[in-house]
Structures are given as structure tokens and as C-alpha cells.
Amino acid sequence: MKGIAAGIGVVVLSPLLLAGTAMMMASSSEASTTSAFSGCLTGIDTAAVTKEVTKLLDGASGKDIHIQGLDLPAEQIPNAQTIVATGISLDVPKKGQIIALATAMQESRLRNLNSGDRDSLGLFQQRPSQGWGTAQQIRDPVYASERFYKALLKVDGWQQMKVTQAAQAVQKSGYPDAYAQWEDLATALQKAIAATFPNADKDEPAKDTKDKDAESSSGGCTPDKDGTSFGRIPEGSVPKGYKIPKDADPKARKAIEWAMHQLGTLYQWGGSCADSHGPDLMGRCDCSSLMQQAYAHADVHLTRTTYTQVNEGKAVSAKNLKPGDLIFSRGTAARPEHVGLYMGEGLVIEAPRTSKPVRITPIRDWDILAVRRVL
């Protein structure tokens, strides 16, 4: 599972200014676009929220989406999706994702604000002056979400706290009970959004569907070339002297070339990899979507997740790798948690994990569990 970096040194928080209607007054123009609430949002219909969230994520206009408590769903839902996806990628439990959503609802109404009280910014109204990062970093929803989660995970006993208590332990707000009003909506949003991500329920036990070929594909062998001859490879770059091997299958060549054009773009768990250079965070790549899209550009269909891609094509030995082979690591051979694309010459291109870019690594750094040849 993905590790979580050590937390932040200073735990202070974005102050919250509430009017009598519990509105955050980031600025007069921002406040005017957000409706006031009085008391808690109760009676949330989770099924209805799921239906509306799914419609929006499937491309419906925000004008056609109606969710109690969200006035700007076309802006708010993608931000909520980023918060949930970041939590999942960091292995934060469901309750932590709900806490993060409730906090962002109270602090910014799930909007990536460019101003606030004093120097507060972004989804969580984090402050550069209080050690949360630079203004540019805080305005990156993925970065802001990561910083919130890391602070939350440092709170002793947070999983036993009420949502509002845990949020307050991170935020240190002058209105510690304000987060409670968003718990029901945050719970519904988390459930609806998590359901759109493949294999988001990491607590579900793996089914006993062992693939004997996959389990034996690595055979304890290592490839002849381990990639170390290229020396240190800067993240997001092509090592000097690398060329796709001349004998590579034409479709493998196309897949590798396309994947190389994504180098340097940031990882996003659950991202489609459909537009990794674009402004939409969910257009970025995760490990399996990078494989899927690379081969789609070579007219080869792959399924979406690592768990299913490990059953694509046929199993081969790690000793007999060819450019274009899918290499699996982490977890088990039957249920690996990471996949990369073998480029030949002992190199692998991958979308590694949250906060890291698509990059090329030597195969020596891989603990190979399975190899699949899809051509």
C-alpha cells in the first residue's frame, strides 16, 4: 500500500469567519454566490445525491444538477472528487474522507478560493504564513487535500472522534461546532464519489481467484538488463541514449511513444489519463489508466484497473521481457496494486503515486510479481 509521508511540523489553522448564517466571508463577491445555511443539513437522500453526482461526472450540465447544500455543483463536485480521490490514494479511511469533505464545505463551500480571511486560500483556507505551503501550492486542490490529510493523520485518536471534533483538531477554528452541519452531505458525497472509482473499497477482502500463470510469470528471475547503465534518471525525463528497440512490435512502439509524451504530468488516482496535460485533475494518469490509454492509441483495448489488467494477454517470464509488456508489482501476483510499461533496455515507464509525475525508472527498482504480454 502507498505510504504516507511524515506530517507537517506546525499544526495551525485556517481561521473561519462566520456570519449569523454560518457563511464564510472570503470576499463580498465570493460570499454573494453562496447561499446561507441555518442549522444542519439533515434528511440527505444519499441515492438522490449519487444519481446527481453520477450525472455530472458523466458530462451533464451543472444547470441540470440539483443537490441540497450545493449551489455550484459544476465547480463543487469536481473539487469533492479530488478530495476523495486523494484520500483513497493515500489509503485514508472513509471517515477521514468525510471529515475532509465536511471541512472543505465549511471553509470554502468546496470552492478553490483565491482569497479569504487574512492570507487564507483554497479549498481548506490554508494559510501560507502558517506553514501550509506557498500560495500556489495551496491553490492546487491535490496538494491542499494531501496537507489536510497528513495533518489529520497526526491527530491522536481522530478515528474515534466525531467528525466536527476531528475537523476542529486540524483547523483550530473559532467556531468548532460549525463543521457538524455538513456531516450528512459529506457522507453522501463520499459514498457517491467513491463508487465512481474502480476498486475504491480497499477493505474488501480479495477474492480467491489465483491466476497460476500470473503467479509463476516472474519465476524469481530478473531480466538481463536492469536499466542501471543509464545512471540516475531525473523524474519526468528520458534517459540520455535511450531509443525504443528496433525490434519492438509496432503497436508496442506506438504505446511506448504515447506514454512518453505524458512524462512529467502529475499522478492522479482514478484519473482517466485522457488529457494529462490539461487543466482537469481527473484527466491526469494513474498507473493503470496510463497503460490503458497508451495501448488505446495503438488500437489495443485494455481493461481499466491493475486488478483486471493482470489477466490481460498471456503470462510471460520476467527473464524474457519484450518492449510493451505490462509489469506488475506491490500486493500479490493475483492482485497487484501497481503496473508499468516495459520500454526495453531495462527501463519501465510508470505513473507511480500521488504527488509524483509520470516517469521512467530502471527495472532493478521493481519487485516484479507478474508480467503480461498483451500483443
Side-chain angles (χ1 to χ4, degrees), residues 84-375:
V84 172
T86 303
I88 292 172
S89 73
L90 294 174
D91 294 328
V92 177
K94 172 182 174 181
K95 182 173 181 178
Q97 297 167 37
I98 292 170
I99 293 167
L101 287 170
T103 301
M105 287 178 200
Q106 179 57 34
E107 297 286 5
S108 69
R109 296 300 184 268
L110 281 173
R111 298 165 62 204
N112 193 16
L113 301 178
N114 59 15
S115 63
D117 176 59
R118 288 171 278 188
D119 59 338
S120 299
L121 297 167
L123 290 174
F124 297 91
Q125 289 291 278
Q126 295 156 334
R127 298 177 59 194
S129 65
Q130 301 299 323
W132 287 92
T134 66
Q136 182 178 8
Q137 287 174 323
I138 291 171
R139 286 269 297 153
D140 179 341
V142 174
Y143 174 90
S145 299
E146 288 179 355
R147 290 304 299 266
F148 178 85
Y149 283 125
K150 289 174 182 178
L152 175 65
L153 293 169
K154 289 189 70 178
V155 175
D156 187 31
W158 69 268
Q159 293 196 62
Q160 286 71 52
M161 295 179 180
K162 294 180 180 179
V163 167
T164 191
Q165 291 173 328
Q168 173 62 7
V170 176
Q171 299 296 89
K172 301 294 192 295
S173 168
Y175 296 83
D177 297 325
Y179 305 102
Q181 65 179 322
W182 303 102
E183 182 174 350
D184 286 357
L185 179 56
T187 301
L189 282 176
Q190 191 280 333
K191 182 176 182 179
I193 293 170
T196 68
F197 290 111
N199 300 292
D201 187 358
K202 297 197 181 230
D203 293 328
E204 182 180 352
K207 295 179 181 179
D208 186 19
T209 54
K210 294 184 178 180
D211 184 328
K212 293 182 180 179
D213 288 336
E215 286 188 321
S216 62
S217 64
S218 63
C221 297
T222 56
D224 293 329
K225 296 182 179 180
D226 63 6
T228 57
S229 62
F230 292 98
R232 180 183 175 276
I233 305 172
E235 287 191 337
S237 68
V238 179
K240 185 177 180 179
Y242 170 78
K243 292 183 180 180
I244 300 174
K246 292 181 180 180
D247 60 351
D249 184 287
K251 291 187 176 181
R253 179 178 294 275
K254 285 186 178 180
I256 293 169
E257 287 176 345
W258 189 89
M260 289 171 66
H261 280 93
Q262 317 315 311
L263 285 169
T265 62
L266 286 177
Y267 176 100
Q268 175 61 54
W269 196 94
S272 67
C273 203
D275 185 15
S276 66
H277 295 275
D280 183 3
L281 297 176
M282 300 312 296
R284 296 175 181 174
C285 308
D286 66 12
C287 65
S288 55
S289 66
L290 178 63
M291 304 300 105
Q292 184 187 50
Q293 290 295 331
Y295 265 112
H297 285 77
D299 297 321
V300 176
H301 172 76
L302 296 183
T303 51
R304 173 61 183 85
T305 72
T306 306
Y307 302 136
T308 55
Q309 288 176 2
V310 76
N311 296 313
E312 300 275 7
K314 64 179 181 179
V316 297
S317 168
K319 189 70 174 178
N320 298 310
L321 288 173
K322 290 184 178 181
D325 287 346
L326 303 184
I327 300 175
F328 297 86
S329 67
R330 305 177 198 164
T332 66
R335 193 173 173 81
E337 297 172 357
H338 188 55
V339 60
L341 181 64
Y342 186 61
M343 303 171 63
E345 304 301 321
L347 298 176
V348 185
I349 189 167
E350 62 169 346
R353 58 184 174 83
T354 298
S355 80
K356 291 291 186 180
V358 175
R359 66 187 183 185
I360 294 172
T361 54
I363 200 167
R364 188 186 69 171
D365 294 345
W366 285 67
D367 181 14
I368 302 175
L369 296 172
V371 179
R372 304 295 293 196
R373 184 162 296 155
V374 298
L375 297 174

Side-chain angles (χ1 to χ4, degrees), residues 45-58 60 64-67 188 191-193 196:
D45 186 338
T46 300
V49 170
T50 299
K51 181 179 179 181
E52 295 296 286
V53 166
T54 302
K55 284 165 54 179
L56 183 66
L57 296 180
D58 283 344
D64 301 325
I65 304 301
H66 304 284
I67 299 175
K191 182 176 182 179
I193 293 170
T196 68

Side-chain angles (χ1 to χ4, degrees), residues 8-32:
I8 0 184
V10 182
V11 181
V12 277
L13 241 301
S14 43
L16 188 59
L17 299 182
L18 294 174
T21 56
M23 287 296 297
M24 183 194 75
M25 303 301 289
S27 70
S28 58
S29 61
E30 288 162 346
S32 65

